[in-house]
Amino acid sequence: DLGQAKVGKGAEKEGGAGKKASKAEKAADEELATLGGGVEVAAIKVGKTLKGIVTALTPTHATLRLGKNVRGCIHVLDMPEGAEKLTKGQAVEARVTAVKASSAGKDEEHHVTIVDLSLIEKGGAPATLASIKVGDLVTGIVQEVKGGCVWVELSAALKGRVSALDASASLDVIQALPKNFPGGARVQCRVLSLDVPAGRLDLSMRGVASPAAGSATPGDKKKRKSAAGGVATDD
């Protein structure tokens, strides 16, 4: 399923269903209790601010422990641009943007609920296949380069694919995708095609400005410089 980012696995694995809490998890629970946190599943609502402890970090998201059976996920796109990076063990307050179904457990007591969170005070719901259309410009975070494609996360639950030919107009860039598109890089893409029932999302970065640098993607910028010297562009 190309349209679904698999970032929830870290949240499920950390203190997952049916497993005993580790020392770190118990310490997080104790700190949550001190902060007045430790939310119950029944009290979670979209828009509510929750307190949590950062337990894991990746280039694209942070996992938080919000309570005994509740885990949170803050995507990089739901963090203020330019803000200080989160650290493991840090106490955080964030706004709920979505509540996902509980992961399976041997009984109800061991179900783990995953919650999408945002550190941005005002913002809409996370991007979904149903909320975008062909031609839209979208901002994402590079998850990885795999299978000759750049995989870009648009939210904690949505991932799109950029083929090598749609990543840049430069052959040099295409031949070194991992170097030019490292994990965690913020990029802007145009939606080429999507298939909601099949969960497919294809994107392009050719000729699209980078939101971080305010310039064209690698290779396109080189082409435009060459154009000033009499070489045709290839956007």
Side-chain angles (χ1 to χ4, degrees), residues 8-195:
K9 286 186 177 293
E12 291 179 11
K13 184 177 180 180
E14 183 271 316
K19 293 185 178 180
K20 292 183 179 180
S22 65
K23 290 183 179 179
E25 292 163 357
K26 289 179 179 178
D29 287 340
E30 290 175 0
E31 186 169 354
L32 278 174
T34 301
L35 296 172
V39 67
E40 296 292 334
V41 174
I44 301 173
K45 294 181 180 179
V46 172
K48 184 172 182 177
T49 298
L50 301 180
K51 297 177 181 179
I53 304 297
V54 177
T55 56
L57 294 163
T58 75
T60 59
H61 72 284
T63 298
L64 280 70
R65 189 173 179 89
L66 304 174
K68 179 181 178 182
N69 293 347
V70 187
R71 307 294 176 266
C73 178
I74 305 179
H75 197 272
V76 172
L77 293 175
D78 289 315
M79 303 177 191
E81 193 170 354
E84 291 186 10
K85 294 183 178 180
L86 298 177
T87 57
K88 289 183 69 173
Q90 181 177 348
V92 174
E93 288 192 17
R95 178 175 54 86
V96 177
T97 58
V99 181
K100 301 179 180 179
S102 299
S103 63
K106 64 181 181 181
D107 52 43
E108 187 174 344
E109 181 184 354
H110 293 86
H111 287 182
V112 175
T113 297
I114 310 300
V115 180
D116 286 337
L117 302 166
S118 175
L119 293 177
I120 300 174
E121 291 186 6
K122 294 182 179 180
T128 65
L129 279 175
S131 68
I132 59 178
K133 61 182 183 296
V134 173
D136 280 354
L137 286 176
V138 293
T139 299
I141 300 294
V142 175
Q143 183 192 47
E144 62 179 343
V145 174
K146 186 176 181 180
C149 297
V150 180
W151 294 90
V152 178
E153 290 185 8
L154 305 184
S155 71
L158 181 61
K159 180 170 67 175
R161 175 182 61 186
V162 182
S163 70
L165 293 178
D166 288 317
S168 175
S170 167
L171 182 59
D172 291 339
V173 173
I174 292 174
Q175 292 177 335
L177 288 179
K179 175 183 176 181
N180 288 287
F181 300 100
R186 186 179 292 252
V187 295
Q188 195 166 48
C189 309
R190 189 179 303 280
V191 179
L192 290 182
S193 64
L194 56 90
D195 186 333

